[in-house]
Amino acid sequence: MAERAVVAVALSSMDSASWIEPLRQACATAGLDARFEVWDGRRIDARYAVVWLPPPQLFAVERSLRAVFNAGAGVERLLAMPELPPGLPVLRLVDAGMAPKMAEYVCFFLARITRALDRFLGPNPLRDWHADRPRGAPPIVGVLGLGAIGARIAQAVAAFGYPVRGWSRTPKQLAGIEAFAAGQLDEFLAGTQILVDVLPLTDETRDLLDRARLSRLPRGAHLINVGRAGTIVDADLLALLDEGHLASAVLDVFRVEPLPADHLFWHHPKVTVTPHLSGPTPRLPAARQIAEGIARLEAGAPAAALPGYVDRARGY
Ligand code: NDP
Ligand code: OXD
């Protein structure tokens, strides 16, 4: 009989202990015999690790790892760890319940922007029954990144009647979404009135939206960033907001998190800051995906055949 798999759980900011029970439950459902342990720095001979910003010594201490499961979608910080062994397969979550929450977040801010709902909120709400209502054509929404999450966001936005366009590295065919390929970014931006960034951070997407690119958006455009902050040059974004080229920015992700208390974004009148909460990883669906992944690996499947296998050269 195969030896029981030991799984190290090292989830730093996500509270490792709270994941043990969902992982156990998910294992029982997947028919997998595994032992999950919160990793405390001592060697447990783990065959797999479930991580989010793990301590770097994990990879030096646990030398028998066969794969590492990232308890989130973005892997840029994990891949940037010099301690991560080069050949160790990395798997990430694919949707796992994050996509609908992020679609909800984006649609909430779209309604707020397009109906100027802020007028009715806050300490001095407008009390005018005859306040202006938008009756024209809805603005064009452009979604950068049409992966597990971006596609869901694009489809949710389209379901509310917005014309939606999407940009991805490889061409996509999604019902009701106008698709733009990698070489068509300028054209994509020129026709986008509300830009939603759902890109992973990779060598190719780092600093992608600089002054030149953001300036291609029409005057008065809005930005919602739920992907990664490193895809946008902060100083260029602030300058374009101050100059009035961009009307507003809703930012859920930041180059430094937690966002430092003195950062300009906190106080800028055209910026809404949320503390990286658009897509919190829901424990049970995530645990199920991880348990199914481990079960398949234990059954002999190659890691590259699993959903969420990260192409380390590509960076996502
Ligand atoms: P996926 O890997 O499924 O999708 C990534 C998308 O980006 C794909 O459509 C991909 O193109 C596209 N893309 C990648 N590189 C490029 C490029 N150079 N040019 C054009 N398009 C590119 O990721 P997910 O949808 O699961 O997640 C996206 C990101 O959202 C995560 O990486 C993470 O950073 C962020 N995130 C944020 C959360 C939050 O709470 N704020 C929560 C969860 C995720 P192609 O389809 O051709 O591969
Ligand atoms: C993720 C995130 O990548 O929460 O999952 O940002």
Side-chain angles (χ1 to χ4, degrees):
M1 209 173 90
E3 217 179 301
R4 192 180 199 200
V6 177
V7 185
V9 180
L11 294 166
S12 60
S13 60
M14 284 200 218
D15 177 17
S16 298
S18 65
W19 281 70
I20 299 291
E21 194 41 42
L23 283 165
R24 280 191 190 130
Q25 271 183 38
C27 265
T29 310
L32 173 71
D33 186 23
R35 191 178 93 230
F36 291 90
E37 279 193 29
V38 173
W39 197 74
D40 66 3
R42 281 172 295 191
R43 182 166 186 181
I44 56 172
D45 251 329
R47 200 178 293 167
Y48 305 100
V50 179
V51 306
W52 181 254
L53 311 179
Q57 60 274 27
L58 173 75
F59 301 109
V61 174
E62 297 299 339
R63 307 304 295 258
S64 314
L65 290 175
R66 293 186 192 170
V68 55
F69 288 82
N70 185 60
V75 287
E76 75 286 351
R77 280 178 291 185
L78 180 60
L79 297 191
M81 290 177 72
E83 299 82 3
L84 183 72
L88 183 64
V90 173
L91 295 123
R92 66 172 191 96
L93 293 179
V94 181
D95 178 353
M98 290 182 280
K101 297 316 290 177
M102 292 175 72
E104 177 191 56
Y105 175 101
V106 168
C107 291
F108 168 84
F109 281 106
L110 282 183
R112 185 180 140 180
I113 292 165
T114 56
R115 269 173 269 173
L117 293 179
D118 285 358
R119 294 174 295 172
F120 308 101
L121 307 171
N124 296 308
L126 179 64
R127 293 199 172 92
D128 174 8
W129 191 256
H130 304 287
D132 197 27
R133 289 140 167 81
R135 298 187 198 273
I140 299 170
V141 177
V143 180
L144 287 169
L146 290 175
I149 298 170
R152 182 71 177 254
I153 291 174
Q155 283 163 331
V157 171
F160 283 112
Y162 293 88
V164 182
R165 47 178 54 198
W167 184 73
S168 53
R169 203 175 49 82
T170 54
K172 293 281 167 308
Q173 282 194 327
L174 293 169
I177 313 297
E178 191 186 355
F180 288 74
Q184 296 176 295
L185 181 57
D186 285 350
E187 190 188 338
F188 167 88
L189 292 171
T192 291
Q193 290 162 292
I194 302 184
L195 180 67
V196 181
D197 182 351
V198 203
L199 287 169
L201 184 60
T202 68
D203 288 346
E204 281 187 17
T205 64
R206 191 178 313 281
D207 298 331
L208 179 79
L209 298 175
D210 57 6
R211 186 179 181 92
R213 292 239 171 70
L214 288 170
S215 300
R216 305 229 178 255
L217 292 164
R219 192 172 179 80
H222 301 260
L223 167 75
I224 301 175
N225 188 9
V226 291
R228 282 295 183 260
T231 60
I232 301 177
V233 179
D234 285 357
D236 293 351
L237 169 61
L238 282 164
L240 289 166
L241 287 165
D242 289 339
E243 291 161 21
H245 187 77
L246 296 181
S248 78
V250 174
L251 306 177
D252 186 49
V253 284
F254 303 91
R255 285 179 183 247
V256 177
E257 294 184 356
L259 184 64
D262 60 352
H263 198 287
L264 287 174
F265 284 150
W266 280 119
H267 308 288
H268 197 287
K270 292 182 176 175
V271 176
T272 300
V273 168
T274 59
H276 200 141
L277 52 59
S278 63
T281 312
R283 287 194 199 95
L284 199 50
R288 283 198 194 108
Q289 205 169 98
I290 292 165
E292 278 160 24
I294 296 176
R296 286 188 59 188
L297 292 174
E298 288 289 284
L306 265 54
Y309 176 75
V310 173
D311 177 338
R312 288 174 67 167
R314 208 177 56 171
Y316 70 100

